[in-house]
Amino acid sequence: MKIILKNVSDQPLYQQIKTQIKSAILRGELKEGEQLPSIRSLANDLQVSVLTTKRVYDELEKEGFVVTKAGKGSFVAPENLEMLLESKRLMVEKKLSEVWQMSRDLGISKQELHSMMEILFEKEGDEK
C-alpha cells in the first residue's frame, strides 16, 4: 500500500492517510479480508505519530471500511455494496461541489459548466 503525504496540503495528515486507504479499498487495490499494516508499522513508514495512524484506523472502522481483531490486526472489512456505492457517490458529490464553487467564483455559468461536462463526456466516449 502506497501512501503519499503532502506537508503543504490543507488536509491534516490523518485525513490524507484515511482518504488514500479508503480510495484503495474503493478501487479494489485493497481486497476484502486483506490485512493492513500495523498501526506502529504504518506510523513508522510514514514518519507520523502512532496516535495519527490509530485515529485513521479507528475512523475507518467506524465508517465500516476496516475491522480490527484484538491481537491480530486490522483488516479490510467484508464488502457492503450499498456502503461502497454511497461512499463513492459522496466522494463525487464533494468534488462536484468544489467545482461548482470554483465555477461561481470564476463567473462561469451553470450552462457553461454543463457544456464543459458534455465536452468531457464526449471526449471520453462515456455518454450515459
Side-chain angles (χ1 to χ4, degrees), residues 7 13 17 20 47 51-53 64 71 74 76 104-105 122:
N7 291 327
L13 292 176
I17 298 166
Q20 290 180 54
Q47 297 182 346
L51 294 175
T52 299
T53 54
S74 296
V76 176
R104 290 190 314 204
D105 292 347
E122 288 173 14

Side-chain angles (χ1 to χ4, degrees), residues 107-124:
I108 295 172
S109 72
K110 183 177 173 181
Q111 183 57 41
E112 287 176 289
L113 187 59
H114 278 282
S115 295
M116 289 178 190
M117 293 296 295
E118 288 298 324
I119 290 168
L120 289 172
F121 290 147
E122 288 173 14
K123 282 184 181 177
E124 295 296 318

Side-chain angles (χ1 to χ4, degrees), residues 22-87:
K22 201 176 192 180
S23 293
I25 293 169
L26 291 170
R27 287 191 308 266
E29 292 171 12
L30 292 173
K31 308 277 187 225
E32 176 181 330
E34 188 172 336
Q35 186 169 13
L36 299 175
S38 72
I39 290 171
R40 289 185 195 285
S41 173
L42 184 61
N44 190 39
D45 290 347
L46 298 176
Q47 297 182 346
V48 298
S49 164
V50 172
L51 294 175
T52 299
T53 54
K54 177 155 179 33
R55 180 177 182 185
V56 169
Y57 281 23
D58 287 347
E59 288 190 15
L60 287 170
E61 186 164 20
K62 284 179 191 168
E63 293 177 21
F65 287 91
V66 170
V67 292
T68 301
K69 299 175 184 174
K72 295 192 180 199
S74 296
F75 301 82
V76 176
E79 281 190 29
N80 176 335
L81 188 56
E82 179 127 355
M83 178 197 70
L84 288 175
L85 289 174
E86 187 58 30
S87 186

